[in-house]
Amino acid sequence: MQHQLTYYECTDSGHPSMSMLLSMMTMVSDAHSIFVGLDRAAVDKSGGAWVIVGYDGQLAPHQPCFGDQVIIGTRALAYNRFFALREFWLSDLDHQQQYVHVKALFVMMDLTARRLMRIPARLITPFASPLKKRLPRLAKPGQLPAEYAARDYRVRYFDIDINHHVNNARYLDWMLDPLGPDFLRQHRPVAFKINYEAEVQEGATVESRYVLDRPTLTTVHEIWAGGRRCTTAELSWQTA
Amino acid sequence: MQHQLTYYECTDSGHPSMSMLLSMMTMVSDAHSIFVGLDRAAVDKSGGAWVIVGYDGQLAPHQPCFGDQVIIGTRALAYNRFFALREFWLSDLDHQQQYVHVKALFVMMDLTARRLMRIPARLITPFASPLKKRLPRLAKPGQLPAEYAARDYRVRYFDIDINHHVNNARYLDWMLDPLGPDFLRQHRPVAFKINYEAEVQEGATVESRYVLDRPTLTTVHEIWAGGRRCTTAELSWQTA
């Protein structure tokens, strides 16, 4: 889908923020579902909901700016009984420059039992992706060492989206904000791995733990809420 | 300009949040400037920057939903030596339904002297709005009473926009969040008045003071930072 980048999707660098990039991915996968005839009502009927397990993405050195027209694309890559793999990309209108490429792994959560469910055939076959016994795994974020820094964030009402859950793209804001404006202005992310383990609940205060390894320009992050680790991530950076 | 509402511009009601509505207004006034030949560079050359003084807006009972195509419109209404008045609207594609109507008052700030400056003729005549000695004043928000509730918010890096300032649409999130999810889900804003008095600085912690008058469903808000009142606002609500 074509999309014009607004200034409020971008940081003061003029380029889209990580949380907005992930929100755009959600937007285009929703549009893809509707395109193949699976709107929210069709998914709701199954008693389940798609849940993101993780992302593994790369960003090109050249990124688009607010005001630019971009293409946000997605494709269902493969699935098995429990997992569905999808790729996303952000490119210019001529498909000459790929700004971002992301693989994402999804599962289906039984909303009543609050546990994994088999993906119903009618919710996956319309995507015409191959059924595979074994799906490639997404690369895992590195471990947070014993010594780390941390900052607390209160979940705000406006972090909650139309699915009545905390928009999990927002987690990136909690993860990156404690790195500070100086670091964020002088560096840009070139790769990221995110692994979602548990949901952050409305009204929670999260603890954003992180460590920055200066020599490799790598940051490792964990989001904790209610005594539980909810999300881990690792980002690689370059000097902006 | 035509715009498709994304899910991340909307709250869990499915309708755009107040802060996103104001961001859309900024987006379309920027687009209007560029359309008349005044891009950022042209404004920068004057040594000044447009600064918003206040908003006075109404919202219709029927609001658009994420995924909807809308028109965001703007028009320069009038100006004098120091002030420029502009109106904004959000409507459906056929201009049959006007969802939001806002008047906004702007001044020009001398960025070196940090004070009001006369609006240079070359930055205002392209908008072809009438020069008026006296501009109508925007309605002022009511006074916060002596007894109020308050909550602190830390300005996040991602609240800063391409102008390297805290995006003043975000103030609405700090103002409305303390009203709580129950109130925000059961009510919708129908009118708002906002008055910006001083800028919130990067790295600040703001105190969001508010009071809710249940009989009239009116809320009054003040944002304080560094011992200074930065913004006042008043909203009228109806049961959703």
Side-chain angles (χ1 to χ4, degrees), chain B residues 210-232:
Chain B
Y210 67 100
V211 70
L212 161 61
D213 184 58
R214 284 264 171 203
T216 59
L217 282 182
T218 303
T219 59
V220 178
H221 306 264
E222 290 186 359
I223 297 292
W224 285 70
R228 196 172 174 189
R229 190 175 70 178
C230 296
T231 304
T232 63

Side-chain angles (χ1 to χ4, degrees), chain A:
Chain A
M1 65 192 293
Q2 193 173 330
H3 178 71
Q4 183 171 24
L5 292 176
T6 67
Y7 85 94
Y8 49 92
E9 289 163 344
C10 296
T11 69
D12 68 348
S13 73
H15 307 302
S17 70
M18 286 291 304
S19 64
M20 284 299 183
L21 283 176
L22 296 186
S23 290
M24 289 173 206
M25 312 275 140
T26 301
M27 174 172 68
V28 73
S29 65
D30 284 351
H32 188 201
S33 284
I34 292 165
F35 181 77
V36 299
L38 294 169
D39 60 7
R40 184 180 305 269
V43 178
D44 286 352
K45 248 195 291 182
S46 73
W50 288 108
V51 171
I52 183 94
V53 175
Y55 291 107
D56 181 2
Q58 289 80 41
L59 293 95
H62 186 66
Q63 288 293 307
C65 284
F66 80 100
D68 285 355
Q69 295 280 352
V70 295
I71 297 286
I72 317 168
T74 190
R75 190 165 69 100
L77 289 175
Y79 74 99
N80 63 24
R81 288 187 303 170
F82 288 106
F83 294 94
L85 191 66
R86 177 173 278 281
E87 68 176 337
F88 295 97
W89 58 89
L90 189 75
S91 69
D92 66 348
L93 290 191
D94 304 324
H95 306 275
Q96 294 302 300
Q97 286 224 322
Q98 194 168 84
Y99 303 118
V100 183
H101 185 266
V102 181
K103 283 189 181 171
L105 195 64
F106 290 81
V107 293
M108 193 152 260
M109 176 84 80
D110 182 320
L111 290 179
T112 316
R114 305 300 296 174
R115 63 170 181 229
L116 275 195
M117 63 185 260
R118 273 188 181 224
I119 301 172
R122 70 178 181 287
L123 294 187
I124 192 75
T125 46
F127 293 109
S129 63
L131 170 64
K132 289 195 178 168
K133 260 227 162 107
R134 298 182 73 89
L135 292 187
R137 297 198 169 246
L138 294 190
K140 287 259 180 215
Q143 288 272 329
L144 195 73
E147 295 272 314
Y148 57 82
R151 200 171 226 201
D152 283 351
Y153 292 89
R154 202 166 42 205
V155 177
R156 300 176 183 174
Y157 172 70
F158 298 100
D159 296 326
I160 297 166
D161 69 20
I162 182 68
N163 296 316
H164 307 292
H165 292 282
V166 178
N167 177 347
N168 68 21
R170 294 265 180 270
Y171 295 24
L172 265 292
D173 291 343
W174 304 329
M175 289 179 174
L176 303 192
D177 179 64
L179 298 174
D182 289 346
F183 180 84
L184 293 169
R185 286 187 182 126
Q186 289 156 19
H187 300 88
R188 55 180 185 80
V190 289
F192 60 96
K193 301 169 201 162
I194 305 169
N195 190 40
Y196 294 101
E197 297 174 356
E199 204 183 322
V200 171
Q201 298 298 319
E202 186 179 334
T205 293
V206 302
E207 186 189 357
S208 173
R209 302 179 179 178
Y210 67 101
V211 70
L212 162 61
D213 184 58
R214 284 265 170 201
T216 59
L217 282 183
T218 303
T219 59
V220 178
H221 306 264
E222 290 185 0
I223 296 291
W224 285 70
R228 194 168 174 192
R229 190 173 72 179
C230 296
T231 303
T232 64
E234 178 182 335
L235 285 94
S236 304
W237 303 79
Q238 283 186 4
T239 307

